[in-house]
Amino acid sequence: MTTITPDFAHSPREPALVRDNYLNHSRGFLSWALTLDHKRIGIMYLCAVLTAFFVGGMFAELVRTQLLMPNGALFHSADPNSSAVYKTYNQIFTLHGAIMIFLVLIPGIPGALGNFVLPIMLGAKDVAFPRLNLFSFYLYVTGALFAVLSIIFGAVDTGWTFYAPYSTNTETAVSWMVFGVFILGFSSILTGMNFIVTIHKLRPPGMTWFRMPLFLWAVYATSIIQVLATPVLGITLLLLMMERLLHVGIFNSAYGGDPVLFQHFFWFYSHPAVYIMILPAMGIMSEVIGTFSRKHVFGYRFVALSSIAIAVIGFLVWGHHMFPNGQSTMLGTIFSFLTMTVAIPSAIKVWNWLATMYRGSIELATPMCYAISFMFLFTIGGLTGVFLGTLSVDVHLHDTYFVVAHFHYVMFGGTLIGFLAGIYYWWPKITGKMYNETLGKLGCLLIFIGFNTTFLPQFVMGSQGMPRRYATYQAMYQPYHVMSTIGAYIQLVGFIIAAITLLQSLLKGKTAPANPWGSATLEWSCTSPPPHDNFKTTPTVGDPYDHSNLVWDDKIEGYVRDNTLAEPYTTTTHIPKQPAGH
Amino acid sequence: MNCLMHMLAADNATFWLPRGASDLAGPVDQAWNIILYVTGLFFFIVVGAMLFFIIRYRRRTPNDATPEITHNTPLEIVWTIVPLLLVEVFFYVGFKGFLRYDTPRSDAKIIDVQGRQWAFSFTYPNGAQDQDLYLLKDEPVRLNLNSTDVLHAIYLPVMRTQRNLVPGRETQISFTPTDLSPQEGWWVFCTQYCGNGHSRMFSHVYVLAKADYDEKMKELANPFKKKDPITGKSRWVPYVELGHTLYQQNCSSCHSVTDDKIVVGPPWKGLWKRDHDFNYRDDPTYTLKASDPDDKWNAYLTESILKPNAKLVTYQGKALSGMSDFSSTFSGSETNDEKRRAIIEYIKSLGNLPYTPAIPPDSTYYDADKYPDHHPESEAGLKANALTTQSQPAGR
């Protein structure tokens, strides 16, 4: 199972890997456990996040299996008055949500891919605080252990939102899970802080702000949110634990608190948190679409600044989770207005990706297939968000499956598909191996089909009135649920194929060239896998999206830079050679 | 324009929406349709362009030359401003509909809604109480919402409205039902996750015409009496039967009557005259044994309904915690006191001892046309009947 070990790097079949690189630079368990190398920490994050994703995914399959039957296919009770049997279902959907949000979506892309590629893309040898980086990883592991402990001590049945006063009353192990999330928050804050300092202080000469690859802009915007918003979640969860354990009245009206206050505190973090999840994926999109269209990313500054706009406006819209929850009319109105504006920076990105593809040279390699899926799914996710941001329509759709579907289209169709695009895109760089394109594309196709089969029916049943978080439901919704569950099984097959693709690549993959895709960003100018110190000499920094002097070399099956084809980069602004646009 | 708006507001169930049956449905469906068509158009533009580009500009050689198009500021400003204007139009449309939803009506009939784990209970202006919602067609209604334990939300899909029930606050929804409901009614769901029985916390809403509505209100106001629809004769409902109905409305989510299992609270089956262990007693010397007299048991059960946390039992090795009290449902008026007595009578009938009601159910005292003043098992009825029995001992 543990395929990424220093031993593999010494495989005699692969002469390129014998060269000193970060995988074989040092050996032994401790050389990994105590490593300060951002690349190894990234790999450890990747393994941890994928493990959490596997667990969270299995919980999702259980949820969908239960919902095959109106009275529940797994947990059901002959006595219509007895509901104790549904507790297990409630624990399963809570664990699915909590694991996917706090252990996969939030730390996933920044922790795994961000850690690995951010310093190399930037042209730095490591992040600004390598020890802090390792500490973040162990905080993540500790937080995850608390989540596991919470399962052992009775699991959690509150939903991932921990709404009070249910969360302060229920007998399940809420305190363990909440404390785990509290620790995970620190992991998130420290990673964010590390990235901000790295981007500010470790840029090499020539790497101006507007020469930074868009992935870095996206991670930078993400880090700002992580540092500013996560402390609010931390203190909210501490207050929740105080109320639970010491009965200090804060959220529970029985002790003189106010349940709506919890929702304000919670969403003040958790709405920006959805941008923590989606922004890095959007960054990956810009890289992948630019590369596989072999064209300059259109409207670089708009795309870069839209990330910052999302980070800023994202802080001002949390109340849209609470339109019918007892919030005042005035607040609801303001939040709805601001919610509409946050849709725009995302729309800008989609337009710009489309314009990047226009007149490009589009290659449908696996990362690009995921990028195409992302654009399809994220567009649906984003547009359905407009329904929910509209006050009167939200009153009908609130807390129905429409919300569930919307959320999955954005977070799964967006973040997770983006994460997969990134994994496949940087896989040759990370492991030094190529993977089987046909298998990779087949996995992508099955996940795409399965995803839509799962979540499109959920929009319809939601608008027809099916509430979320139900262990049982009225028979009229069954056809939608059955279709949805079939989709979940198709996705499972897709993910198994995707996993096989990557495992097969580790065992039998061809040696990867330094630049298999023809990308112009810096990480592709060092070898695959990168050397321990990333760059022997300080790299030359150019336009991250100028592909014109990258030419295919059949001998190495990769791209090489031919400097005779284009002028060296001397300017920081891009002057189009011909009138752009239409 | 009006014609277009009318077209956009569908009256009947569609692929997307259930039928709309309140004054709120029009604006919601209209907003839904406007957004659906506009966002649908944008979806087809994005996906259409994407698919077209994938095919038209597919890679032919690894070294394809592509034009150096880096940006186009006017175009980018256009595709920023146009969507921004559109979404703010959506905002305005939604805002108008929301004001209608969010403004309480002063001319509405008020129905109190109480949510608890895991049932709704509706209290009507005439004091009647039921687990289902009965509405009069075309009459504005305002639901005042309360929760006794955790967050709940009442959601009426056909009315296009929902609102959270927040413990410690009173919230409301107002609307006017515009259509008669079918026989089986429409669904009322709880949409705010509230624990084990969340998915089983539902009711029905019935929208009735005036005559049916009045009849139903009369029936609900007096659960003690039932009219036979065929013979037209009124009959008092025996307390055991009434107690069972009240149990289903108020107690069934936490107490089992069919077996000996703890659901949330202690099972009622066999509870009457079972030796009790307490994990907490307000009076440390208090004990309750099977051998204790009926009066002591009655007093204990009364207290358990009105002040449930005064004494907490340990049952089957499990120390049970209390519940929120039912004093507003089962005390405060003569009717409520009698309902409480009916509940206790029902618990008594579930005990392990043979049960005989004070007045056997075949007694003529249950003939409500002949004895219209008191229920035979009520305190007043027992007293009056005792007098009657004394003066006229024979012939009964």
Side-chain angles (χ1 to χ4, degrees):
Chain A
M1 181 59 212
T2 49
T3 40
I4 299 168
T5 65
D7 289 328
F8 123 83
H10 280 295
S11 166
R13 285 176 53 248
E14 309 293 349
L17 292 177
V18 176
R19 180 180 35 74
D20 178 61
N21 63 49
Y22 81 99
L23 290 169
N24 61 13
H25 184 72
S26 53
R27 302 189 60 179
F29 175 75
L30 285 182
S31 80
W32 280 83
L34 299 177
T35 184
L36 300 181
D37 183 355
H38 67 97
K39 298 182 286 299
R40 287 192 169 187
I41 294 172
I43 297 281
M44 296 197 293
Y45 261 114
L46 186 64
C47 296
V49 167
L50 290 180
T51 310
F53 176 70
F54 173 76
V55 176
M58 285 301 117
F59 281 127
E61 297 293 339
L62 286 177
V63 165
R64 287 308 330 160
T65 306
Q66 160 79 356
L67 296 175
L68 271 173
M69 313 280 276
N71 284 323
L74 295 176
F75 314 104
H76 52 85
S77 156
D79 178 2
N81 290 326
S82 168
S83 35
V85 63
Y86 306 125
K87 184 173 222 114
T88 318
Y89 172 81
N90 295 340
Q91 290 167 333
I92 286 172
F93 83 67
T94 301
L95 289 170
H96 164 67
I99 289 174
M100 286 301 196
I101 300 269
F102 296 114
L103 291 175
V104 179
L105 292 171
I106 289 179
I109 300 180
L113 298 177
N115 253 320
F116 194 96
V117 299
L118 180 135
I120 320 183
M121 266 184 142
L122 199 62
K125 287 188 194 303
D126 208 317
V127 291
F129 306 116
R131 279 187 179 77
L132 198 60
N133 199 15
L134 184 66
F135 183 55
S136 296
F137 174 72
Y138 282 113
L139 281 179
Y140 172 86
V141 173
T142 313
L145 280 180
F146 270 92
V148 171
L149 283 178
S150 89
I151 298 176
I152 295 168
F153 291 125
V156 190
D157 70 336
T158 59
W160 75 276
T161 47
F162 306 121
Y163 269 16
Y166 186 73
S167 57
T168 58
N169 294 340
T170 177
E171 289 166 13
T172 52
V174 174
S175 298
W176 290 92
M177 179 61 94
V178 159
F179 195 64
V181 173
F182 178 76
I183 294 172
L184 288 170
F186 276 95
S187 166
S188 187
I189 293 170
L190 296 181
T191 300
M193 201 183 74
N194 216 338
F195 287 173
I196 290 176
V197 177
T198 307
I199 288 175
H200 272 274
K201 305 305 284 185
L202 297 190
R203 278 174 290 132
M207 180 59 88
T208 59
W209 281 94
F210 286 108
R211 267 189 190 167
M212 282 199 324
L214 290 161
F215 179 65
L216 298 189
W217 274 99
V219 172
Y220 181 73
T222 308
S223 302
I224 293 174
I225 310 176
Q226 283 177 306
V227 169
L228 294 182
T230 318
V232 179
L233 177 74
I235 198 71
T236 308
L237 296 179
L238 277 191
L239 291 175
L240 184 69
M241 285 175 69
M242 278 170 65
E243 185 168 273
R244 234 186 113 73
L245 303 173
L246 308 174
H247 291 199
V248 179
I250 299 156
F251 306 125
N252 189 345
S253 59
Y255 310 135
D258 181 8
V260 181
L261 183 67
F262 178 84
Q263 296 168 33
H264 276 292
F265 282 0
F266 181 82
W267 289 114
F268 184 86
Y269 165 76
S270 294
H271 193 78
V274 305
Y275 298 111
I276 294 178
M277 304 175 215
I278 192 69
L279 270 170
M282 290 169 155
I284 293 174
M285 278 307 100
S286 299
E287 303 301 329
V288 169
I289 291 174
T291 295
F292 291 96
S293 301
R294 201 173 156 75
K295 201 158 147 279
H296 199 287
V297 173
F298 186 88
Y300 172 93
R301 281 178 188 240
F302 265 66
V303 177
L305 294 176
S306 66
S307 291
I308 305 297
I310 288 176
V312 174
I313 305 170
F315 271 103
L316 307 173
V317 301
W318 78 87
H320 68 215
H321 295 269
M322 302 157 59
F323 289 149
N325 289 22
Q327 176 180 259
S328 75
T329 315
M330 175 63 100
L331 273 185
T333 307
I334 293 170
F335 279 124
S336 173
F337 184 83
L338 291 170
T339 297
M340 292 301 180
T341 60
V342 82
I344 300 307
S346 304
I348 290 174
K349 284 178 191 284
V350 173
W351 294 129
N352 281 289
W353 294 328
L354 267 184
T356 304
M357 292 168 69
Y358 170 70
R359 297 182 64 191
S361 161
I362 298 169
E363 190 195 1
L364 288 181
T366 309
M368 189 60 173
C369 290
Y370 279 107
I372 300 289
S373 298
F374 177 106
M375 286 202 21
F376 184 94
L377 304 175
F378 180 75
T379 302
I380 295 180
L383 292 173
T384 49
V386 175
F387 289 80
L388 296 168
T390 305
L391 285 159
S392 63
V393 181
D394 181 68
V395 170
H396 176 58
L397 298 176
H398 196 87
D399 277 338
T400 65
Y401 261 76
F402 194 92
V403 178
V404 178
H406 158 72
F407 186 75
H408 282 88
Y409 264 86
V410 181
M411 289 295 111
F412 184 167
T415 305
L416 239 140
I417 297 291
F419 190 23
L420 284 166
I423 290 177
Y424 280 98
Y425 177 60
W426 282 304
W427 186 261
K429 183 55 62 186
I430 293 173
T431 64
K433 305 273 194 155
M434 299 304 288
Y435 51 82
N436 183 321
E437 278 291 347
T438 317
L439 262 187
K441 285 181 208 172
L442 179 68
C444 175
L445 182 71
L446 282 175
I447 291 172
F448 179 79
I449 293 171
F451 180 92
N452 286 297
T453 317
T454 309
F455 294 108
L456 271 180
Q458 295 190 3
F459 280 122
V460 186
M461 67 170 128
S463 64
Q464 291 284 357
M466 167 77 207
R468 68 193 288 203
R469 295 177 168 172
Y470 265 26
T472 58
Y473 54 87
Q474 305 308 328
M476 59 187 165
Y477 300 116
Q478 194 181 14
Y480 305 112
H481 275 294
V482 169
M483 199 171 153
S484 190
T485 303
I486 291 171
Y489 296 155
I490 299 176
Q491 285 182 70
L492 183 62
V493 177
F495 276 108
I496 290 171
I497 291 177
I500 289 174
T501 312
L502 297 180
L503 291 176
Q504 191 211 33
S505 152
L506 282 182
L507 298 173
K508 294 185 183 161
K510 278 201 295 187
T511 307
N515 192 352
W517 316 124
S519 316
T521 43
L522 283 181
E523 78 274 26
W524 302 101
S525 66
C526 66
T527 51
S528 302
H532 176 67
D533 290 329
N534 298 348
F535 301 99
K536 294 271 181 298
T537 53
T538 307
T540 328
V541 179
D543 185 326
Y545 301 112
D546 184 352
H547 305 95
S548 57
N549 61 352
L550 289 162
V551 291
W552 178 257
D553 182 343
D554 257 338
K555 252 199 320 256
I556 60 162
E557 298 194 324
Y559 283 84
V560 288
R561 200 176 274 282
D562 183 347
N563 284 323
T564 59
L565 287 179
E567 315 222 328
Y569 315 97
T570 47
T571 55
T572 52
T573 52
H574 318 296
I575 301 154
K577 282 177 186 161
Q578 61 179 83
H582 308 277
Chain B
M1 191 65 190
N2 264 341
C3 172
L4 178 73
M5 288 293 146
H6 186 76
M7 256 173 55
L8 287 172
D11 290 329
N12 293 315
T14 63
F15 174 71
W16 290 106
L17 295 169
R19 67 179 291 167
S22 84
D23 62 327
L24 300 177
V28 171
D29 294 4
Q30 209 173 69
W32 165 279
N33 283 321
I34 292 171
I35 300 171
L36 182 68
Y37 296 142
V38 176
T39 58
L41 177 71
F42 274 86
F43 173 73
F44 283 111
I45 291 174
V46 170
V47 172
M50 186 175 78
L51 294 177
F52 176 74
F53 292 165
I54 291 172
I55 296 162
R56 174 75 181 73
Y57 303 117
R58 67 189 176 279
R59 184 165 295 184
R60 282 155 170 108
T61 71
N63 294 327
D64 283 350
T66 54
E68 193 183 329
I69 307 168
T70 60
H71 63 294
N72 182 335
T73 308
L75 178 67
E76 290 175 70
I77 289 173
V78 167
W79 72 38
T80 304
I81 299 295
V82 171
L84 182 63
L85 293 177
L86 276 174
V87 289
E88 294 305 350
V89 169
F90 297 160
F91 157 75
Y92 181 73
V93 172
F95 169 65
K96 294 275 281 183
F98 186 71
L99 281 186
R100 190 150 167 185
Y101 152 84
D102 216 29
T103 312
R105 295 183 62 142
S106 52
D107 59 342
K109 170 152 70 196
I110 292 176
I111 296 174
D112 286 317
V113 183
Q114 200 181 54
R116 62 166 65 234
Q117 287 168 322
W118 292 280
F120 293 110
S121 136
F122 301 90
T123 308
Y124 296 88
N126 65 355
Q129 206 178 40
D130 197 58
Q131 77 269 39
D132 284 327
L133 177 59
Y134 294 92
L135 300 173
L136 179 56
K137 181 175 175 292
D138 295 325
E139 183 192 51
V141 60
R142 171 170 161 183
L143 307 182
N144 283 346
L145 313 173
N146 278 294
S147 167
T148 57
D149 37 42
V150 298
L151 291 170
H152 301 283
I154 185 169
Y155 174 40
L156 302 100
V158 291
M159 306 298 173
R160 303 286 190 276
T161 188
Q162 71 171 305
R163 180 80 84 178
N164 274 22
L165 283 64
V166 185
R169 288 192 183 197
E170 186 173 276
T171 50
Q172 65 84 31
I173 45 182
S174 325
F175 59 94
T176 309
T178 52
D179 287 349
L180 293 177
S181 63
Q183 193 93 48
E184 69 277 12
W186 287 307
W187 293 105
V188 177
F189 293 123
C190 175
T191 41
Q192 185 62 267
Y193 176 71
C194 56
N196 293 356
H198 173 50
S199 66
R200 290 298 180 86
M201 182 166 170
F202 55 79
S203 298
H204 295 86
V205 53
Y206 300 94
V207 181
L208 306 173
K210 183 92 175 94
D212 295 341
Y213 183 79
D214 290 345
E215 181 68 21
K216 192 74 205 176
M217 281 299 114
K218 232 196 283 170
E219 188 191 315
L220 291 181
N222 191 354
F224 296 89
K225 220 188 263 187
K226 240 188 204 153
K227 196 170 182 179
D228 191 312
I230 300 161
T231 61
K233 283 190 175 159
S234 288
R235 191 174 155 272
W236 293 108
V237 179
Y239 270 13
V240 172
E241 199 181 318
L242 176 62
H244 177 69
T245 311
L246 293 169
Y247 160 81
Q248 286 184 319
Q249 290 172 6
N250 297 283
C251 323
S252 62
S253 48
C254 298
H255 298 282
S256 171
V257 294
T258 50
D259 57 26
D260 203 22
K261 289 203 188 97
I262 296 171
V263 179
V264 173
W268 285 5
K269 182 146 178 83
L271 188 149
W272 179 259
K273 301 256 171 128
R274 164 169 77 207
D275 286 346
H276 269 47
D277 288 331
F278 293 99
N279 66 60
Y280 170 78
R281 287 162 291 183
D282 51 354
D283 169 9
T285 60
Y286 184 84
T287 56
L288 190 63
K289 298 289 164 210
S291 53
D292 284 328
D294 280 16
D295 284 353
K296 191 169 179 185
W297 277 91
N298 276 325
Y300 167 71
L301 289 177
T302 306
E303 187 184 51
S304 297
I305 294 169
L306 303 181
K307 271 167 63 189
N309 299 335
K311 297 178 179 65
L312 302 175
V313 291
T314 297
Y315 186 59
Q316 293 173 349
K318 196 175 170 193
L320 298 170
S321 50
M323 62 175 185
S324 48
D325 76 87
F326 279 80
S327 50
S328 64
T329 320
F330 293 126
S331 70
S333 72
E334 200 182 320
T335 319
N336 286 354
D337 286 343
E338 289 304 328
K339 284 183 184 169
R340 187 183 68 240
R341 293 185 66 241
I343 287 267
I344 293 174
E345 204 63 22
Y346 176 58
I347 294 177
K348 206 190 270 187
S349 77
L350 295 166
N352 293 326
L353 301 173
Y355 169 74
T356 36
I359 310 290
D362 54 358
S363 158
T364 50
Y365 284 128
Y366 286 99
D367 185 338
D369 296 323
K370 204 163 167 190
Y371 302 97
D373 299 336
H374 308 289
H375 190 291
E377 289 177 274
S378 69
E379 274 181 352
L382 286 173
K383 207 185 280 174
N385 293 337
L387 293 174
T388 327
T389 321
Q390 267 175 12
S391 56
Q392 303 178 314
R396 296 277 170 223

